[in-house]
Amino acid sequence: MFVVGLLLLAIGLVGAFFAIFPPVEAARGGAIGVALGCGLAGLVLAYLDAPSRREPLPPGKQRAKATILDAAGTTGAVAGYQMVELTLEVRPKGGVPFQVKRKFSSGRLGRIEQGRSIDVAYDPANPEQLELI
C-alpha cells in the first residue's frame, strides 16, 4: 500500500505539471482533477501504511517473513471463522529458516494458499511462539 500511495502521489505531481503547463488549454480542468485526486489519494495511502506507523513489537520479539507450506482446516471457530493449522517456514533476517506448525483463525489470514508469504513476529528464545503481524 505504501508503494501504491507513492505511485499515486507521483501521478498527482505529473497531473499538477500538466495543469500548470497544459499542452491544450481544454486539458487544464482534467489535469487539475488528476492532480488533486491522485495526489490526495497517494498522500493518504502513503501516510496510512508508512513504516513509521507500524506498531512496535513486544519486547523480545523479532519480525520475519513466513511462507505457508501446508494448511489444513481444524474443528472449531473463532468469531465465526474456521480455525486452520498452518505449517510455516519462517525466514528470520540473518538467521536459519525453521518450520513451525500453528493454529490461526482464518479471518486473520485472508487468502490461504501454499507459497503465500506473510509477516510474523516470533520469539528467538522460543520460536513456537509465533504471531501474525
Side-chain angles (χ1 to χ4, degrees):
M1 281 296 230
F2 181 69
V3 174
V4 171
L6 292 179
L7 287 173
L8 282 171
L9 189 56
I11 292 170
L13 290 174
V14 170
F17 174 80
F18 283 112
I20 296 169
F21 306 106
V24 178
E25 192 59 36
R28 185 179 300 270
I32 291 172
V34 167
L36 289 175
C38 289
L40 291 175
L43 281 174
V44 168
L45 284 176
Y47 173 74
L48 291 177
D49 198 44
S52 62
R53 291 185 45 87
R54 289 186 186 152
E55 291 184 25
L57 292 177
K61 298 277 185 172
Q62 292 185 359
R63 290 184 192 275
K65 289 282 188 185
T67 303
I68 298 174
L69 300 178
D70 189 35
T74 63
T75 57
V78 174
Y81 293 103
Q82 182 180 356
M83 294 295 292
V84 292
E85 185 174 53
L86 299 180
T87 303
L88 302 171
E89 181 181 66
V90 181
R91 295 177 311 281
K93 288 183 181 177
V96 178
F98 59 92
Q99 287 189 7
V100 174
K101 189 174 268 196
R102 174 97 196 281
K103 292 181 184 178
F104 296 100
S105 167
S106 61
R108 295 201 54 208
L109 293 167
R111 190 179 79 242
I112 302 169
E113 62 186 8
Q114 188 174 358
R116 179 176 170 224
S117 181
I118 56 177
D119 293 323
V120 296
Y122 74 100
D123 183 357
N126 185 3
E128 293 292 321
Q129 290 184 357
L130 188 85
E131 300 174 18
L132 298 176
I133 53 173

